[in-house]
Amino acid sequence: MTTAGLRLTGVSKRFGGSHALDNVDFTAMAGEVHALLGQNGAGKSTLVKILTGVYVPEPGARLELWGQQVPFPLVAAHKHGIAVIHQDLGLVEQMTVVENMGITAAYGTRLLAPIAVRRERQRCVALLRDMHVDIDPDTPVSLLNPAERAALAIARAKRLLEDHSDSFVFVLDEPTAYLDAEASSRVLALMRTVADSGSAVVFVSHRLQEVAAIADRISVLRDGIVVDTFRSSGDQSGRIILAMLGRAMERFYPTRVDGPRAELVLRVSELVGRRVNGVSFDAGPGEILGFAGLTGMGQEEIPYLLSGAMRAHSGRATLGSSDLLSLPIRDLIELGVCLVPGNRQRDGLWPLGTARENVTLPEIATTLAFRKVRVGRERQVASSLLAEFGVRPCAPEQKAASFSGGNQQKMVLAKWMRMHPRLLLLDEPTQGVDAGAKFEVLQMLSGAAFKGATVVVASGDYEQLAHICHRVLVLRFGKIVTQLTNQGLTEAAIARSAQGA
Amino acid sequence: MSTDTASAAGEAAQLEHLTVPAGRRRGALMAGVEQYGLVVICLIGFGVFSLLLPDTFPTVGNVKAMIESQAVIVPLAIAVTLPLRVGDFDLSIAGLMVAAGALLAQLTTHGVGLGEAMAAVFGLSLAVGTINGLLVVKVGIDSFITTLGTMTLLGGLAYAFTNSNVITGLPSDVLTLARQNILGFPSIVWVGWVLVAAAWYVYEHTPFGRSLLFIGGSREAARLAGLNVDRLRISAFVVCSVISGATGVFFAGSVGQLDPSVASQFLLQPFAGVFLGATTIVVGRFNALGTLVALYLLVIGVTGLQLYGAQPWVSDVFNGAALVAAVAFAKLAARANAQRR
């Protein structure tokens, strides 16, 4: 713990007149996991991009890797013993583990020279074994679980670094953002193993509990400044939040609204989808019903099946007297069935469309094809929607892609809130959403329930489910195994039954 | 990668509202340059060639000739914006135009009335559009491959319709339809302009036009918002084919004869116009007015160079180079903008 793997001093980066980073100092020691936290826009990505050579910092910045000063702009970072692993890992699904392992190092040969297949395989197995991961090198990546994928990505980076150096700095950019609790705890364990072998690990994230669980030290960025760096011990979410937001957050979760108030309206029986295999439940207006489970157990399909996004194999689902499984999506939307998909970039938004065009889409889809669109009125509607639901900046003509993750999610929700949903279906509503926006997103769910909507949320974030839901159903292998309510509804109880304990 | 760029854009956006007003004014100026850059280049090009060739270039005759040379290109380009807006290619436009013209020429020279011949052309176009649409949308074949196939097939059909001959001696009503003088321009030019105006209205002001673009931008999000994505994609192919087929009728009439081998000469230019047009007026989107501006810019460049003494092959070189250069410039400008922010 005495050598610094990565030492950044005086790093600033300006875009136009504003500082994305302002005189940042950051150190990651050998054998340490150093978490870098901050809201979207705090400067995390800018810092990561400086370490990948995409951005060049302002003059005066210094970078030392394992005691060696390295000049900016950073080129061929791997030659200096640093690797940045992005959230999407950059693995090729159809190719095998060993093929993926060698691809960034050109399989250790020249362009047209034959690949030493046996040597590649041995090296692949050895690298994975160092991380206590045992996978057949001929498995296609598409069959690996998230933790194995992460291990492969780290091992691959290490392979590239090994040719130039024998001590390593790994920067992992949001490696767990799209994983459930089980998978992310395995990735975190992996990071621990990597650090214990003497590497310096920088872990960029905004999931607070994880950070407390694994990091040795925590640094918090806000508005381009490192506002706090401290040694991790126990639950410090209060301190982290204070540093991230610049104010204390009195509550992490909105107050739970009253439960179901009237007769049950949503009735689902023997629903069968791809993974869901015979699920039955009812829910009422005003109720927030959670679905939990490990990745791939079927809970994530429920919102898609009920919204018509995914076709059910068999079963019945009715809202009042309407049959949800037979109606086209447009009719379901008119009934008030609204879906907030998990992959908002792909399924929830038109990234290059403006905020105005995105929030007014349901109207476009239901009006006559050749009636004139009144852009001025749309703009008014859009600005008031953006303002009402706290989408920042309140700029209806700005492209959706230019908003932060949290604000994009609020935009997707705002689009539906205007339609007064009766059944609001959500998959991972707070994924990739920072702490401040997460509260607002959850508040929108509570608000919808308060106004009488039935809210169905599938999520791998058990803590969140335990806080906002009236009832949580846990799925294993496509079937409901547990129903948790009242005092029995805790994060630990969800996790236990998700894992079949 | 997409999440990566998006998060970068997100950070940039967060910073944007902090910038000083001076920066915003410069941003607005940049946006203006982006939006009307091509129009300005078009005017500069016209000015430069007028100075260089004062006797031949800025004459009424030359301007009319330039406009008339784009007469069938304009409707073809507008046709192809429809599938492009939903994210599909249609390479069969020029093949269909010539095949439709061939069908019309053969029928009318054999005593079939213009009305019946046009009905046959309409039927052919409807069939081609529907087949393209069904193969791409329902069967799921890539649109590039599907329409490459129909393009080739239609090229063959054109020969079949004409018995591999150039058909001449078209009846006068076919010629009049395309050549009728309205305010100094033949009717075919007006058809193109009316189409541009109609497409402009539909694209910029109606739910239909916006839906097409939404599907092109995010097919799944569009479906989940209740748009009938399949039907809209098929209808884009059908309307595209119907416009291309109708253009064939005017094409036969304006040329006065029908050569089945010319289809390939009419394929690249509409695409060049549409892609170049997407860098102006409504920046980043396939749009009608931008397409018209781009086509006129290209013809000004080509005509000017030819009058200046360049060889005929210069037109292909110029069209190709202008397309690649303009699109590359638009990309670089967008990137520079993002960096500055």
Side-chain angles (χ1 to χ4, degrees):
Chain A
M1 283 292 286
T2 43
T3 353
L6 166 74
R7 188 189 296 279
L8 283 164
T9 36
V11 175
S12 298
K13 178 70 188 166
R14 274 195 303 269
F15 293 107
S18 50
H19 276 89
L21 289 175
D22 190 2
N23 202 17
V24 165
D25 295 342
F26 183 84
T27 314
M29 310 299 282
E32 150 179 92
V33 176
H34 192 158
L36 179 63
L37 291 172
Q39 300 220 70
N40 281 327
K44 299 188 308 268
S45 314
T46 309
L47 195 60
V48 170
K49 287 206 166 80
I50 284 173
L51 291 175
T52 51
V54 175
Y55 291 153
V56 183
E58 309 300 328
R62 279 167 56 93
L63 166 64
E64 273 177 46
L65 289 166
W66 300 107
Q68 299 278 314
Q69 171 132 15
V70 181
F72 287 112
L74 190 57
V75 278
H78 62 272
K79 292 193 176 152
H80 303 289
I82 181 169
V84 176
I85 293 153
H86 292 285
Q87 183 181 70
D88 68 9
L89 305 178
L91 301 173
V92 184
E93 293 275 319
Q94 299 82 5
M95 289 168 79
T96 63
V97 169
V98 63
E99 286 168 336
N100 269 283
M101 180 75 83
I103 199 163
T104 49
Y107 302 99
T109 65
R110 291 183 187 282
L111 196 55
L112 292 175
I115 295 170
V117 176
R118 187 172 305 169
R119 198 194 60 204
E120 281 293 307
R121 185 182 307 257
Q122 282 164 356
R123 193 153 177 201
C124 172
V125 172
L127 280 163
L128 289 170
R129 197 183 300 129
D130 287 349
M131 289 193 286
H132 312 297
V133 176
D134 180 27
I135 14 178
D136 177 1
D138 292 321
T139 320
V141 166
S142 54
L143 300 180
L144 301 185
N145 68 38
E148 290 169 336
R149 286 164 188 242
L152 173 56
I154 297 171
R156 180 171 74 176
K158 190 169 162 197
R159 181 206 152 124
L160 195 60
L161 299 183
E162 271 180 351
D163 295 339
H164 304 280
S165 149
D166 37 47
S167 30
F168 318 111
V169 179
F170 295 102
V171 179
L172 292 102
D173 193 2
E174 302 267 4
T176 56
Y178 292 94
L179 304 181
D180 65 34
E182 161 88 5
S184 58
S185 73
R186 276 196 274 160
V187 172
L188 297 174
L190 196 70
M191 286 165 51
R192 190 72 260 168
T193 313
V194 172
D196 288 347
S197 69
S199 298
V201 177
V202 179
F203 169 34
V204 182
S205 179
H206 49 230
R207 301 239 293 229
L208 304 182
Q209 314 89 298
E210 286 184 347
V211 167
I214 183 188
D216 298 303
R217 279 195 300 161
I218 297 170
S219 285
V220 180
L221 267 175
R222 187 176 76 232
D223 299 333
I225 298 167
V226 175
V227 287
D228 200 356
T229 296
F230 52 95
R231 198 149 285 287
S232 166
S233 58
D235 179 19
Q236 289 165 316
S237 39
R239 180 169 180 181
I240 298 171
I241 286 283
L242 181 63
M244 276 170 68
L245 302 182
R247 60 185 155 88
M249 209 156 109
E250 303 83 53
R251 310 195 317 260
F252 294 107
Y253 294 98
T255 321
R256 213 184 310 237
V257 293
D258 297 340
R261 281 173 302 196
E263 79 294 355
L264 301 177
V265 287
L266 175 67
R267 291 176 193 280
V268 176
S269 66
E270 289 304 311
L271 185 66
V272 179
R274 256 173 249 162
R275 285 177 172 141
V276 169
N277 185 17
V279 163
S280 305
F281 60 90
D282 298 330
E287 178 170 16
I288 303 183
L289 175 62
F291 279 91
L294 304 179
T295 306
M297 290 299 181
Q299 75 288 346
E300 67 274 18
E301 272 180 19
I302 305 262
Y304 299 95
L305 288 168
L306 297 182
S307 64
M310 184 191 272
R311 198 166 294 241
H313 189 267
S314 64
R316 272 181 65 72
T318 51
L319 183 68
S321 58
S322 314
D323 179 6
L324 297 182
L325 302 185
S326 67
L327 290 171
I329 294 178
R330 180 192 285 209
D331 294 359
L332 289 173
I333 290 170
E334 276 181 8
L335 264 180
V337 180
C338 299
L339 172 71
V340 178
N343 187 341
R344 66 178 159 269
Q345 293 284 343
R346 190 192 66 201
D347 303 337
L349 287 168
W350 167 21
L352 296 181
T354 62
R356 165 179 61 82
E357 287 167 323
N358 272 289
V359 297
T360 56
L361 178 64
E363 209 168 324
I364 290 288
T366 50
T367 49
L368 292 169
F370 293 101
R371 208 167 126 187
K372 195 168 192 301
V373 174
R374 284 158 60 199
V375 175
R377 205 186 64 88
E378 276 190 348
R379 198 167 294 150
Q380 283 173 6
V381 167
S383 333
S384 66
L385 266 183
L386 298 185
E388 181 182 351
F389 294 107
V391 181
R392 283 174 293 270
C394 184
E397 295 305 319
Q398 203 165 302
K399 287 189 175 120
S402 69
F403 288 80
S404 71
N407 284 305
Q408 288 180 356
Q409 190 70 326
K410 284 185 265 175
M411 198 187 298
V412 175
L413 267 159
K415 164 175 92 179
W416 293 131
M417 295 307 246
R418 177 156 171 253
M419 314 290 287
H420 302 295
R422 282 176 67 202
L423 175 58
L424 187 59
L425 302 156
L426 308 101
D427 177 26
E428 295 294 358
T430 58
Q431 195 163 281
V433 167
D434 56 59
K438 179 173 171 180
F439 180 83
E440 292 174 291
V441 166
L442 296 177
Q443 208 164 30
M444 288 168 82
L445 306 195
S446 295
F450 181 74
K451 287 186 196 151
T454 303
V455 180
V456 173
V457 195
S459 176
D461 184 340
Y462 305 150
E463 183 188 343
Q464 162 187 319
L465 288 180
H467 277 92
I468 64 161
C469 295
H470 301 110
R471 189 156 58 107
V472 170
L473 302 175
V474 182
L475 269 73
R476 274 182 71 74
F477 301 106
K479 295 197 184 298
I480 294 172
V481 289
T482 320
Q483 167 165 308
L484 299 165
T485 48
N486 303 330
Q487 269 68 42
L489 176 50
T490 62
E491 184 185 356
I494 299 174
R496 265 198 308 279
S497 67
Q499 286 167 36
Chain B
M1 205 213 101
S2 66
T3 49
D4 193 40
T5 46
S7 70
E11 294 212 348
Q14 297 249 327
L15 294 169
E16 193 179 45
H17 66 281
L18 301 174
T19 47
V20 288
R24 192 170 297 163
R25 225 173 293 132
R26 196 178 46 189
L29 181 70
M30 276 304 294
V33 168
E34 233 184 329
Q35 194 174 1
Y36 299 108
L38 215 60
V39 182
V40 173
I41 294 172
C42 200
L43 295 174
I44 291 175
F46 192 88
V48 168
F49 282 119
S50 300
L51 289 176
L52 290 174
L53 306 156
D55 300 328
T56 47
F57 192 82
T59 62
V60 174
N62 184 47
V63 169
K64 281 181 75 174
M66 288 197 293
I67 289 173
E68 285 174 29
S69 74
Q70 300 303 298
V72 300
I73 305 293
V74 170
L76 284 185
I78 294 301
V80 88
T81 52
L82 281 146
L84 283 175
R85 275 172 84 93
V86 291
D88 294 315
F89 263 88
D90 188 347
L91 300 175
S92 67
I93 45 165
L96 178 56
M97 176 186 83
V98 173
L103 180 62
L104 182 100
Q106 186 65 286
L107 289 175
T108 51
T109 48
H110 283 78
V112 179
L114 180 58
E116 286 93 333
M118 281 169 67
V121 163
F122 182 69
L124 173 73
S125 313
L126 213 55
V128 170
T130 311
I131 290 167
N132 279 341
L134 290 177
L135 286 175
V136 171
V137 176
K138 295 295 184 189
V139 184
I141 310 174
D142 182 75
S143 63
F144 212 86
I145 296 165
T146 306
T147 58
L148 189 66
T150 41
M151 172 185 90
T152 313
L153 185 149
L154 286 162
L157 269 189
Y159 280 93
F161 289 149
T162 61
N163 296 321
S164 310
N165 293 320
V166 175
I167 298 183
T168 52
L170 299 180
S172 62
D173 52 353
V174 177
L175 304 183
T176 327
L177 184 69
R179 295 178 181 179
Q180 180 75 55
N181 188 318
I182 305 166
L183 301 175
F185 288 102
S187 48
I188 179 172
V189 169
W190 286 101
V191 168
W193 287 343
V194 168
L195 213 52
V196 168
W200 173 262
Y201 172 78
V202 169
Y203 289 168
E204 308 307 326
H205 296 288
T206 68
F208 180 73
R210 173 116 33 106
S211 306
L212 295 180
L213 209 55
F214 216 113
I215 293 169
S218 185
R219 198 168 288 169
E220 193 58 14
R223 186 176 77 91
L224 295 178
L227 288 177
N228 194 331
V229 171
D230 285 3
R231 204 163 65 193
L232 284 164
R233 284 176 75 195
I234 294 173
S235 68
F237 275 108
V238 170
V239 178
C240 171
S241 288
V242 168
I243 296 174
S244 307
T247 306
V249 173
F250 288 94
F251 171 65
S254 74
V255 183
Q257 61 174 37
L258 202 287
D259 178 350
S261 70
V262 296
S264 62
Q265 299 171 18
F266 294 94
L267 180 60
L268 184 80
Q269 256 181 301
F271 277 98
V274 172
F275 281 103
L276 199 54
T279 65
T280 190
I281 312 292
V282 189
V283 179
R285 297 179 176 184
F286 298 114
N287 71 89
L289 222 49
T291 301
L292 190 70
V293 170
L295 287 173
Y296 286 157
L297 168 69
L298 292 175
V299 75
I300 286 170
V302 168
T303 314
L305 288 172
Q306 282 177 346
L307 289 176
Y308 203 65
Q311 297 291 317
W313 51 255
V314 80
S315 69
D316 281 351
V317 172
F318 183 82
N319 281 339
L323 172 65
V324 174
V327 176
F329 179 76
K331 274 253 184 261
L332 293 174
R335 196 177 305 161
N337 253 344
Q339 280 278 330
R340 189 170 321 109
R341 254 188 257 137

